[in-house]
Amino acid sequence: MSQAQPFVIPAEVVFQIDNDGIVIENRGDIVLHTSFGRPLKRVISTEGSIHLHAPAQAILLQAAGDVLVAGGVAAEAIQAGGSIRLAGDLQAARIEAGGALEIQGNAQLGAVHTGGDVIVSGGISASELRIAGNFQAAGDVIVPRIEVGGSVQIGGGVSSTSAQAGRDFAVNGNAQLGTVHAGNIRLLGGSVVARGLQGWSAVQFAAGRVQIDAVVAAEIHFDPRTSGRITLLEIENEAGPNAVKGCFSMADYAEMFGDAHGFLRERSIDPDSVKARPAPTVVSAPEIRISAPSFSSSSPIMALPSSPPIAAPVIAVAPVAAPVAAPVIPAAPPVQVAPAVPVVEAAPEPVAPPVAPPVAAPIIDEPMEVQVHELEPIAEPPKEHTLHPQLVDAVSKVVDAYTDGEVPPAVEKLRGLVQEKAYDRVRGEITQIWSELLKFHQRKGMRLPHQVTPTFNTINSLVKKM
């Protein structure tokens, strides 16, 4: 018979079992081979690392050293002074690492800030990436804002409104982009849609179709089979054979249409740095502040729960869905989905109230003083955009994904803004709404419905056209 392992809690360790999870705080390493049948509410190592030998559901994982998990994680936040390495999928609202972040799976994240490389073996969706090192993802990348000090290598497609890289920016799949600033920009998928590309060395396209407002680079290289349109093209070499229309230089554009400099500025391209190599993107490492554990000789080592232990919920992390062709959220291969236009009943014609028969005025001995108040002007209702029915249809698809359960507050907020025709607010708050939706699923331990991610992509694309 094998000898049972002793269960030992050192005197300086804070170990509490609350109704909503486990709290463990230690100055040294924390190594867990079990989750105690409960979520991990807070696990903190102020001078060491955290090693979890099983998938975990947590609110906060915080370590001065590394955070290593032999499985997937669903958490509110993970902070590490060193690196974060996960052997599975990741869902988290905030990630901060002084070193690298490695995910052997898919990732659905909020804001990410690392001092080292980020490597994802699957796809990733996030609200923001700030990476001091290199960024590499094997699958699709759905990130509105990307700032990378080194190079970007994306094996799938990409959807982003703003991307900066200190060196190369390479995408093997389809690209839906706002503005990209990098050294060498290589877009090798079959479809590229972008507002602006500025490469201080070169921009390269594979065979496929492009639809781009402006490209500014020292050199450009087309596959002869590249087709589509580039409105303004400012380069120093000969473009070579291609089937791309437009391609006006700054001088030609100014002569035919007007202010070329203003056209570039609207697309976040500095016209004064056309011939000069801009400074490389610099992203600093995050400052990780870890609070000292609440050690106290008067504090109990273990606080027993008032109710019996419950089994930890199984956390299913949804993979990044295949994207539709729209700027911001999935990619590769893009499928143009024409949402069904909902039938909107016309408002009934106003009916005039019935006119009562004339009545003889009563005899009044004294004149009556009548107070006449000025009516406030009636505000004009917001005008409905021609794409409004498509937007309503897309939001309805998101709402329908939750018909069997609670509709997240973020979805209710989105539906309300669309009903109010507040297109500017939807455009400005879509990233925050997406982040709030991810946090809702993390708190509930729920899998994100597969149709929600591509539908958010459609919504974001529509409001950008309004």
Side-chain angles (χ1 to χ4, degrees), residues 18-376:
D18 297 335
N19 289 333
D20 55 350
I22 304 290
V23 175
I24 301 175
E25 299 180 11
N26 186 32
R27 287 196 178 96
D29 291 347
I30 297 175
V31 181
L32 298 180
H33 292 267
T34 178
S35 64
F36 301 96
R38 287 176 178 271
L40 300 173
K41 182 178 178 180
R42 188 170 70 250
V43 178
I44 300 176
S45 172
T46 57
E47 298 178 9
S49 298
I50 296 174
H51 300 256
L52 305 181
H53 289 265
Q57 178 190 10
I59 294 177
L60 172 63
L61 300 177
Q62 189 180 69
D66 300 331
V67 173
L68 309 175
V69 184
V73 174
E76 285 289 334
I78 303 178
Q79 295 176 301
S83 298
I84 300 173
R85 293 181 172 87
L86 309 175
D89 295 338
L90 173 62
Q91 284 184 333
R94 188 173 80 254
I95 297 290
E96 294 180 349
L101 170 63
E102 297 182 19
I103 304 169
Q104 296 179 14
N106 298 303
Q108 292 178 340
L109 309 173
V112 178
H113 189 185
T114 71
D117 297 342
V118 172
I119 300 174
V120 183
S121 65
I124 176 173
S125 63
S127 61
E128 178 185 56
L129 293 180
R130 298 190 64 222
I131 302 168
N134 301 311
F135 172 52
Q136 179 179 337
D140 297 333
V141 173
I142 312 155
V143 182
R145 185 175 181 83
I146 301 173
E147 294 182 16
V148 177
S151 295
V152 173
Q153 177 65 56
I154 300 172
V158 63
S159 182
S160 178
T161 54
S162 174
Q164 299 182 48
R167 293 193 292 274
D168 296 348
F169 184 90
V171 181
N172 291 329
N174 298 295
Q176 301 286 334
L177 300 165
T179 302
V180 179
H181 297 267
N184 290 289
I185 300 174
R186 298 195 302 272
L187 303 176
L188 309 179
S191 173
V192 176
V193 177
R195 281 176 58 80
L197 304 177
Q198 184 165 19
W200 65 71
S201 293
V203 175
Q204 178 184 352
F205 296 101
R209 186 168 183 81
V210 301
Q211 188 67 40
I212 305 171
D213 290 350
V215 177
V216 173
E219 297 181 4
I220 195 165
H221 303 284
F222 289 111
D223 183 287
R225 295 165 293 176
T226 307
S227 63
R229 184 177 186 85
I230 297 176
T231 302
L232 189 155
L233 177 62
E234 185 72 11
I235 56 175
E236 298 179 6
N237 70 323
E238 292 294 331
N242 63 82
V244 180
K245 299 178 181 179
C247 299
F248 295 103
S249 66
M250 290 184 65
D252 291 341
Y253 183 94
E255 182 179 346
M256 296 186 66
F257 305 106
D259 187 8
H261 285 69
F263 182 81
L264 292 176
R265 288 194 185 97
E266 289 175 359
R267 285 145 186 85
S268 301
I269 294 178
D270 181 6
D272 297 327
S273 66
V274 170
K275 304 298 182 182
R277 172 172 175 154
T281 302
V282 176
V283 180
S284 60
E287 182 180 357
I288 309 298
R289 296 184 178 181
I290 301 178
S291 303
S294 51
F295 299 126
S296 173
S297 58
S298 60
S299 299
I301 295 298
M302 178 186 295
L304 293 178
S306 57
S307 58
I310 56 174
V314 178
I315 304 301
V317 182
V320 175
V324 291
V328 181
I329 308 182
V335 179
Q336 295 289 348
V337 179
V341 179
V343 178
V344 181
E345 294 184 1
E349 291 293 331
V351 180
V355 180
V359 180
I363 300 174
I364 302 175
D365 295 332
E366 296 181 0
M368 180 184 296
E369 182 179 354
V370 180
Q371 298 288 340
V372 179
H373 299 281
E374 247 185 58
L375 295 177
E376 295 183 0

Side-chain angles (χ1 to χ4, degrees), residues 416-451:
L417 292 176
V418 172
Q419 288 175 345
E420 296 169 8
K421 302 182 181 66
Y423 307 126
D424 289 341
R425 288 191 60 190
V426 177
R427 187 185 311 111
E429 299 178 27
I430 187 70
T431 299
Q432 179 62 31
I433 292 172
W434 173 253
S435 180
E436 291 174 2
L437 181 60
L438 290 179
K439 291 180 182 178
F440 173 86
H441 280 271
Q442 290 155 6
R443 287 194 300 268
K444 298 290 185 178
M446 295 168 51
R447 181 188 181 93
L448 191 70
H450 67 87
Q451 70 266 40

